Amino acid sequence: MTARKIVVALGGNAILANDASAAAQQRALRETAKYLVKFIQQGDSLIISHGNGPQVGNLLLQQAAGSTPENPAMPLDTAVAMTQGSIGYWLQNAMAAELTALGLEMDVATVVTQVVVDENDPAFGAPTKPIGPFYDHEAVTALKAAHPEFHFVEDAGRGYRRVVASPRPIDVVEAGAVNQLVNAGVIPIAAGGGGIPVVRREHELAGVEAVIDKDFASEKLAERVGADQLIILTAVDHVYVNFNTPAQRRLNTVSISELQQHIADGQFAPGSMLPKVEAAIEFVTHRPEGQAVITSLSNLGEFIENGSGTIVSVVNAESSV
């Protein structure tokens, strides 16, 4: 098999479940690394991106609780950078340990990644991106009273979450550096948490209060580095239409046009499967010779060995089951 350049996008919730301790997140990443090294074993070049929704939300709450005039809380773009560093630190050590255990000598490096957005993006006037944990009605009422500047929404019947602006990415500042690392045989961890949101102002980059969707940022990174494949990991092995109904149907190999029709039919939940599907469409649109895949972390072995997952291409062969 010809070596490919692959971007794998991990969700923040795959790193943090119910236990928010550092030890628990490090354990989760050690398990994650066992799946990711399979790409290295088959000779591919790997770039890892990841979400940070739970982590950055928790960090903001910790900062708000301890903020004083002498020791003020950091802004959201800086909090994203902080979680890029902490998650990258855990993940690069987990990957290095797994590679060493398999007798593979490779370096892993975290790149503090800035992602450019448009300062006039309408998303800044309509916060939609969930960050942090879920709250019940009583807890969110208390948080609103303490932090009237925060915005909260009900999230899929699971409780309430804080939401912030989520502008679309238009460029990845460090894409060239990521490619240089890949060419040098290093595994980069990049665009963590969707990247640090910045805008271009004359000759400078300025951070803004936002969180970029990890799937769109991963797509932009994959596009900019010329990846052959973008793999977006989620909670399910495949994308489905009529999800959780008797008419549920699994999508295997699917075309852009078919997915666009499903989007028009309202098949995919905003803030959940929809951005993953839209990111997959965007990647294949910009890289028609490439391939986008949506599947779960636990299904990666099946995908590598048997092609199991939802595979998005310009035109489809077999569509659904």
Side-chain angles (χ1 to χ4, degrees), residues 153-278:
V153 296
E154 196 275 332
D155 191 324
R158 296 176 289 179
Y160 296 85
R161 294 182 80 185
R162 185 184 169 193
V163 291
V164 297
S166 184
R168 287 291 186 102
I170 57 178
D171 200 7
V172 179
V173 177
E174 288 77 21
V178 169
N179 245 349
Q180 289 183 54
L181 287 169
V182 171
N183 293 338
V186 178
I187 301 171
I189 300 166
I196 303 163
V198 296
V199 296
R200 295 192 186 277
R201 292 176 183 163
E202 296 183 352
H203 304 298
E204 296 182 348
L205 294 170
V208 291
E209 288 280 306
V211 169
I212 303 166
D213 187 280
K214 172 264 303 178
D215 300 313
F216 290 126
S218 299
E219 185 284 323
K220 190 59 64 178
L221 175 64
E223 180 189 327
R224 289 292 189 260
V225 301
D228 300 296
Q229 202 169 61
L230 167 65
I231 301 176
I232 299 173
L233 299 181
T234 185
V236 291
D237 296 350
H238 295 79
V239 178
Y240 292 85
V241 293
N242 304 315
F243 187 59
N244 271 344
T245 73
Q248 176 173 293
R249 186 161 55 90
R250 184 180 73 199
L251 301 179
N252 293 323
T253 302
V254 59
S255 68
I256 291 174
S257 59
E258 183 179 344
L259 280 179
Q260 288 171 330
Q261 183 58 56
H262 290 317
I263 291 172
D265 293 340
Q267 284 286 346
F268 308 123
S272 179
M273 187 57 74
L274 181 58
K276 293 170 175 51
V277 169
E278 290 179 331

Side-chain angles (χ1 to χ4, degrees), residues 57-58 61 131-141 143 150 152-153 158-162:
N58 288 347
L61 288 172
I131 59 172
F134 291 94
Y135 303 100
D136 60 22
H137 186 267
E138 183 179 352
V140 83
T141 300
L143 281 167
F150 286 3
F152 294 89
V153 296
R158 296 176 289 179
Y160 296 85
R161 294 182 80 185
R162 185 184 169 193

Side-chain angles (χ1 to χ4, degrees), residues 59-209:
L59 176 58
L60 291 171
L61 288 172
Q62 291 164 4
Q63 291 198 131
S67 180
T68 65
E70 296 76 24
N71 186 27
M74 294 294 104
L76 183 52
D77 59 303
T78 302
V80 172
M82 293 163 73
T83 54
Q84 273 193 9
S86 60
I87 296 171
Y89 156 60
W90 294 333
L91 182 52
Q92 69 185 40
N93 283 344
M95 286 293 294
E98 189 61 26
L99 289 164
T100 299
L102 294 170
L104 299 169
E105 293 187 8
M106 290 189 72
D107 291 325
V108 187
T110 298
V111 180
V112 177
T113 313
Q114 301 171 95
V115 174
V116 181
V117 298
D118 183 349
E119 197 163 11
N120 297 313
D121 191 308
F124 285 106
T128 59
K129 182 66 177 174
I131 59 172
F134 291 94
Y135 303 100
D136 60 22
H137 186 267
E138 183 179 352
V140 83
T141 300
L143 281 167
K144 283 180 179 178
H147 303 284
E149 74 278 13
F150 286 3
H151 297 269
F152 294 89
V153 296
E154 196 275 332
D155 191 324
R158 296 176 289 179
Y160 296 85
R161 294 182 80 185
R162 185 184 169 193
V163 291
V164 297
S166 184
R168 287 291 186 102
I170 57 178
D171 200 7
V172 179
V173 177
E174 288 77 21
V178 169
N179 245 349
Q180 289 183 54
L181 287 169
V182 171
N183 293 338
V186 178
I187 301 171
I189 300 166
I196 303 163
V198 296
V199 296
R200 295 192 186 277
R201 292 176 183 163
E202 296 183 352
H203 304 298
E204 296 182 348
L205 294 170
V208 291
E209 288 280 306

Side-chain angles (χ1 to χ4, degrees), residues 7-28:
V7 173
V8 176
L10 300 171
N13 287 307
I15 305 164
L16 187 155
N18 296 320
D19 186 345
S21 70
Q25 294 184 73
Q26 287 171 300
R27 283 195 300 271

